[in-house]
Structure formats: C-alpha cells, structure tokens
Amino acid sequence: MSIFSKTLTRLRPAGAFYSVSNQLLPPKRWVLPSSFSTSAAASASSCSSQSLHDKEKGSTWSRWFLFLPGAITFGLGTWQIFRRQDKIKMLDYRQKRLQMEPLKLNDMPPSSENLESLEFRRVVCKGVFDDGRSIYIGPRSRSISGVTENGYYVITPLMPITDDAESVQSPVLVNRGWVPRSWRDKSFEVPQDREKSSSMDVVPVQQSEQSWWRMFWSKKPKAVEDQAPAITSMEVIGVVRGSEKPSIFVPANDPNSRQWFYVDVPAISVTCGLPEDTLLIEDINENVNPSNPYPVPKDINTLIRSSVMPQDHLNYTLTWYSLSAAVTFMAFKRLKPKKSKR
C-alpha cells in the first residue's frame, strides 16, 4: 500500500497535495469558469431576444395580412365606379350619333378607313342583294312570345346597280337580321340543286341536231327571246358597325366549312370576294313586310344597351364595398385584445 501511494505521489503535479483518503472518495464535479458562464448567458439572452423579435415581426405581417381581403374588395368596388362612368359615356356617345340625320352612302366611298367617323351613324344605301354569297353567323337565339328559338344572322353583299345614281358606288355588307335555322339549311341545299339541274340540262348531240332540223323545217317557227331576270333594288336603312370581339369561350370561325360564330368583317369580305375594307351595315328598318317576316332587322334600342348596364356596375360597387367593410370589421375584431375575466 505504501509503495502504491509513493507511486501516486510521484505522478502528481507539483503544488498538488492529496491524501490517500481523498483518493478513495468519489470524483468531484468540475466547476466552469466565471467568464465562460457569463458568455453563455449573454449568447442565450441574445438568442431569446432574436427569437422574440422574429415572433413580433411575424405577428405584424400576419396582422397586415388580415386586412388584405378588405383592401382587395375595396379596390374592386372603386374599379366598378370607373367602369360605370365609362359605360355612361359610351352609351351617351352612341345615342347622340344615332339621333343624327342619316347619311347617303352614294355620296361617299364605303370603306372601313372611315369606320371611326361613321360607326353608329345611320346611313341609307340602295342596291341589289346577292343572296348567293350570304354568310350566316350563329347560332343566335331569339325569344318570341316567351319561346326561345335558335337561328342565325344573315349577312349579304349589297351590290351596286349600273346606271343608277342613287345606288352605292361599291359593294357593302348588310346584316339583314335574324332568320330561323331553316333559312340556313335551304341556302346549303341550293348549290346542290343547281349542280343537279346543270347536269340534267346537258342534251345529247344527236338530239340537239334533230331539234335544229325540226326548227328549220317548221312552218311556224317560235321566236326565242332571252329574258334577263328582273332586278329588284333594295333600300337599306342601317347603322355602320365593326367586327365583334369574341370571348375566350367562342370557337374560331371556319370559312372552309362555312361555320361563322362571330362577325369578322375583313374575313367575311374576303370570303364573299370583296375587298377587306368593305363596310358592314346593320339593317334597322322597322317596316317589315308581314307576308315575308324574315329576316327580322335588329331593334335600334339594342344599340344603346349593353350586357352590363350602368345600374349593374352600381350594384357591383355596393356589393364589393359591403364585403370590404365586413372583412375589415372581422379583422379588427380578431386583433382586438380580449378582456380578462376576474
């Protein structure tokens, strides 16, 4: 035992005095230096303050986020006010132009270059309809005595009349109005009937020679007179219009299959063999022949109406402002501190 204690005494550093009895006690815990404990406490306090700062910053953003729906709905309500003012100006502009005296198209060249100065102006033009080149836009529904019927708008070129000073100088397109579906079906059957009639009119050569021989030796030859078909001139009272702006849900036009879903004046003009700058006129003549009620011209009052009227914009404004007030009130209610109950 003495030898073991001597050995430990030699291995101890200088200035350290331990007894054998202390060696048999359990080991003591190490005490950290005061400088190290101070730095650890400072770092812990800085971390806690940083976390508190982050929490306060996050809570501030969350509070502002509660007011975002109210701000958006308030902006939408204000936007509807501007939309209402623009709609009122547009309808007043149309009404003033429709009240002007109608112009005669024979005094001016009908071209779409003058569309801005002529749009929504009443015009009077005279010519002949070329029904063989009619275009059908649709389907478009029409309510008759509470019954909805599908049909089409028919657009037909109005051709000039030779040696007529009151006629149009160049062709124009006329939207003659609404027609039932049967009109479009009949127009598609006419070219087929013409092809059949032309094939049946072919006469064999021998039969034509016999008919010529009989006509030559006939005692009472019949004089054949070529009678030209009578030209029926039409006077159209209408309004100059432009192309329609289709929505994203309207299919694209297909001229090859004669499918037209919206009015595209340049494309329709090219399909009809007319220049691209041809004018389009909507017929508003109310003098409809009872024996021939179709096509039904457009009502002039529809030109000073819109799908969304100014009163509708006012209703939308009140709706958005009401939602804004309700959402903002809920946000304040949510942030208001609750009273502690004693």
Side-chain angles (χ1 to χ4, degrees), residues 98-122:
L98 290 172
Q99 291 174 353
M100 295 180 179
E101 291 295 327
L103 302 173
K104 292 185 178 181
L105 280 187
N106 59 339
D107 298 335
M108 63 184 69
S111 173
S112 61
E113 296 178 355
N114 305 324
L115 180 61
E116 293 183 0
S117 60
L118 293 176
E119 192 172 12
F120 294 103
R121 283 294 305 270
R122 290 187 300 163

Side-chain angles (χ1 to χ4, degrees), residues 298-315:
K298 277 193 173 183
D299 186 4
I300 191 173
N301 293 324
T302 60
L303 300 177
I304 55 177
R305 288 201 300 262
S306 177
S307 58
V308 182
M309 296 295 288
Q311 182 62 35
D312 298 328
H313 288 291
L314 182 59
N315 295 336

Side-chain angles (χ1 to χ4, degrees), residues 175-214:
N175 187 346
R176 301 164 64 184
W178 185 89
V179 295
R181 186 184 294 270
S182 58
W183 271 60
R184 180 175 178 269
D185 298 338
K186 289 180 181 179
S187 66
F188 288 171
E189 294 175 358
V190 168
Q192 299 177 359
D193 296 340
R194 289 179 179 176
E195 293 178 359
K196 291 180 180 179
S197 61
S198 60
S199 62
M200 293 177 62
D201 291 340
V202 177
V203 182
V205 178
Q206 296 180 356
Q207 185 176 356
S208 62
E209 291 179 356
Q210 292 178 2
S211 60
W212 176 83
W213 182 80
R214 290 179 181 177

Side-chain angles (χ1 to χ4, degrees), residues 64-104:
W64 283 109
F65 183 76
L66 292 175
F67 293 97
L68 182 60
I72 293 175
T73 51
F74 184 84
L76 291 173
T78 307
W79 176 66
Q80 288 295 328
I81 292 178
F82 291 105
R83 287 279 296 162
R84 180 176 179 272
Q85 296 297 328
D86 294 339
K87 190 62 66 66
I88 290 174
K89 292 180 181 179
M90 182 189 70
L91 297 179
D92 289 342
Y93 171 78
R94 292 184 182 182
Q95 189 170 9
K96 290 179 180 179
R97 293 183 69 85
L98 290 172
Q99 291 174 353
M100 295 180 179
E101 291 295 327
L103 302 173
K104 292 185 178 181

